[in-house]
Structure formats: C-alpha cells, structure tokens
Amino acid sequence: MGKLNKTLARFRDGAHPAHGLPPAAYLSKVFWKKECKTVLADNWVCVGAAHELTAPGDVVPVTVAEQPLVLVRKQDGEIAAFHNVCSHRCMTLVEEPKNVGKLIRCPYHAWSYDLDGNLKASPHFGGTDTHEMDGFDKTKNGLVPARSHVWQDWIFVNLNGNAIAFEDYAGALISRLDGIDFSKLTHIGTLDFGVVETNWKLIMENFIEPYHVQFVHASTTDQPLSDHYTIVDGNCLGSAVDLSEETGTSGSLAVSSRYLTLYPNFIVGRYFPDQMGVYLNIPLGPDRMMQKRYLYTTEDQTLPPSEIDGLMKLWWDVHKEDHEMVERMWRGRRSVAAADGGLLSPVWEDSVRAFQEKIVADVTATKGN
Ligand SMILES: [Fe+2]
C-alpha cells in the first residue's frame, strides 16, 4: 500500500490542471491484480446481454477479474451465473457459447450439473458402477453461484456479493434513461471487435469525455464541442450533446446524444430520437480487453437491412477510430515522459477525473486485501 500511495502522489497533489492516473495504473500487473480484488469484485460489472441466451440450456462463458464464469439460461427462463469450474478436477466446463440441453457436462469425467447448478452425476467416482460413497455429498458439490442481476437486456455480476442492490447502485444511470420504453427496445445487430490492445480504463475514459469527438470522429460525426457537456452523477459518468436541430444523414451522426457509463465497465449511448448502443467491455488484463457493441432501436422499429448495414458500418468506423486512440494512449504510457500521468481539462475531462478518483478510492480502500 505504501508503494501504491507513492505512485499516486502526483495524481493526488492538487495541481491545476490535474494529472491523470500514473502509468502504472494501466501497465502494472500488481495494479491489475488489485483491480481484480476491488474494482471488478466490489461493483456490478456488465458481462453480457440476455438476448444472447434465448433458450433454456443456452450457456455463455465470460471472464470477470480473471475468474471464469458461465452464464446460464435456466429451465424457468431466468439467467444465472456460476463459476465455470467442475467440482471434481476444477476444469472449466464451458469454453464457447452453445446450448447444453438440460445438463452442463464436464468433458473430462462426465460429471454433470443441471441448469440450477446442482450436481446430478459423478459416474464411477467410488469405483465401477459406484457413483456415490460415504463422505461425498453431491448436494454440497454443485456449481458455485456468482451474484448476478439482469437489468433490461444486460447481465451484471457482483463477484464478492457485497454491492448494494443493482437498482440503487445504478439509480443515477436509470433516471438519466428516463423516458425510454424498454419494452420497445429492439436488438438490431452486434459488432464484435474481439481483443483491443489497451487497458480497459482507457476505453472508459475515452467514452466519457467529449473533447476528442471533433478531432477523432470528424468524418463520422457532426457534433460541435460547444454543444457538449460532461455528466458526473454518482456511478454514472459521461457526457451529452444537445443539438437544437437534428441534421443527421445516413453515414454520419449529428443528433442529440447521451454518452453514459455505469461504473466500472458499462457503456450506453442514446442517440435521439430512437437509437441506442451498448458496449460490452471485458477487461482481460492490464494490456487487453474484449469489446462488443450491441445496437438497438428504442421504438420497436424494424429497420430495413440496408439501414442496419449503414448503422453497423458507421459504428464499426467510430469504434475503430477510438481503438486507435486508446491503443496509442496505452503504448504512450510506457514512456518516461508519461510519468506524471498527463493532464486533464477541468472542463471537458472532469468526468474522466471522477472515474479515476473512483478507481483510486476502490484500489486503496482498506478491506484486508
Ligand atoms: Fe470516440
């Protein structure tokens, strides 16, 4: 902790303009391990979308804080999360999205679990044709559940089970999405970007400041900086742009928008009048993350395929523009010249600073780890 406090001295020195987080927060395995135990364990972390598990028996493996988990659509239609590991030899059970029917079966020795995680079969564990034995209680060797919550189309996990109830945790975000009739939310497409070679926090920081939009997205958007403002509201950080006249043409973005996040990794963009995008950001280590974008309409529309193609192309290009920036920001942090963590605009990047302060508060909290 002493070393960490020393690393954070510049961040905390009260300078104006403020410094960003030190490079170690983005590069160091020690800092990443700390995040795994705090930021990514204490909070509600987005791990997937409910529409990707449509039928009972659908399973999707995910990783949170280096923990392999599996999302399961149960017989009763609910979605649950379990640690993705067999009680027998601790092998991961599910390696890719699929439908398992009624049982999750370990391929190693055929131990099998129902969709509620109960251990149903442990063949020949006590000898040939002896599946049970004294001292071995099947009811105590089911899958270990992880606390999960489905809000609208999005699945969240709280690894340590100690976060406040999701609706309270996400209250600021939920109230800022007021006015959306979620029963009319329609998934129209998914962009899978695979691995992005950056630290996950740089993706979040990039999203919640409006400063770069005019420069990085000059050809894909038309949203003047002067119309933007930042949002710092509890666990909801982001920015917004209010345009008096909607001048959007297909192939560019020139509409009033809300760019909102739910700390630590959930991103939702709302584009008036009727579009929404959600990013799935999965941190994999200090130097890698995975990203997907889910595209939605909010008024139940069925768009013609050509319009969906146009939106997919637009958003692919916007994300790629951002990926170049965040990959280069990550590489830049290896320079000795980055030691002070750079500088943050008090106007356009106060939201970034708020995100970084939340990270610091979490990783330095004294909780015995
Ligand atoms: Fe951007």
Side-chain angles (χ1 to χ4, degrees), residues 206 212 217 322:
N206 172 71
H212 74 279
H217 307 302
D322 282 326

Side-chain angles (χ1 to χ4, degrees), residues 180-222:
I180 291 181
D181 179 351
F182 280 103
S183 70
K184 293 182 176 169
L185 191 74
T186 308
H187 173 248
I188 57 168
T190 298
L191 297 170
D192 188 345
F193 298 101
V195 170
V196 185
E197 291 181 358
T198 191
N199 184 281
W200 68 279
K201 296 189 293 301
L202 293 172
I203 282 268
M204 299 305 295
E205 295 175 13
N206 172 71
F207 185 82
I208 62 185
E209 59 88 346
Y211 190 14
H212 74 279
V213 172
Q214 61 189 326
F215 307 113
V216 176
H217 307 302
S219 64
T220 47
T221 71
D222 188 9

